[in-house]
Amino acid sequence: MTTTTPTEKTGARTDEAATLIGGARERIDALDDRIIGLIQERMAVSAVIQEARIGSGGRRVNLAREMEVLGHYRDALGKPGTALAMTMLELCRGRI
């Protein structure tokens, strides 16, 4: 059985860089877990909104609101923000 060293695992050329990269990756993993949790929370809130809108005779999706969200993400993150927002909106639609 071959053991992968931290330097090999990170692609770093020194042990010092490998240690730094390893710690930063742990932080990224923790951030990703928080982001996933926030998206799941957003999905739940979106479902409440959709239920209320449909229950009152409205449509499931409010396109004007979605455009606001897309603009917000684009303004904050540039063009890739729009793609990110589209994915998030897709995750939040139709869960009811």
Side-chain angles (χ1 to χ4, degrees):
M1 182 170 153
T2 306
T3 304
T4 304
T5 67
T7 304
E8 292 169 333
K9 186 175 181 180
T10 62
R13 302 235 176 197
T14 66
D15 289 340
E16 180 180 287
T19 299
L20 183 121
I21 291 167
R25 284 182 177 170
E26 287 177 13
R27 177 95 194 275
I28 285 174
D29 290 345
L31 288 167
D32 285 343
D33 288 342
R34 287 174 47 200
I35 291 166
I36 290 167
L38 288 169
I39 291 171
Q40 290 170 330
E41 183 178 349
R42 190 188 193 288
M43 290 167 65
V45 172
S46 181
V48 169
I49 292 168
Q50 289 175 53
E51 286 176 12
R53 190 179 305 117
I54 292 169
S56 71
R59 300 179 66 170
R60 180 175 54 89
V61 176
N62 180 331
L63 296 178
R65 173 62 180 153
E66 288 196 357
M67 293 306 293
E68 288 177 19
V69 172
L70 291 169
H72 181 69
Y73 274 71
R74 183 191 60 245
D75 292 347
L77 302 172
K79 185 177 178 183
T82 303
L84 177 63
M86 285 297 297
T87 299
M88 184 193 56
L89 290 169
E90 183 179 342
L91 284 168
C92 293
R93 287 187 202 125
R95 296 292 182 176
I96 59 170

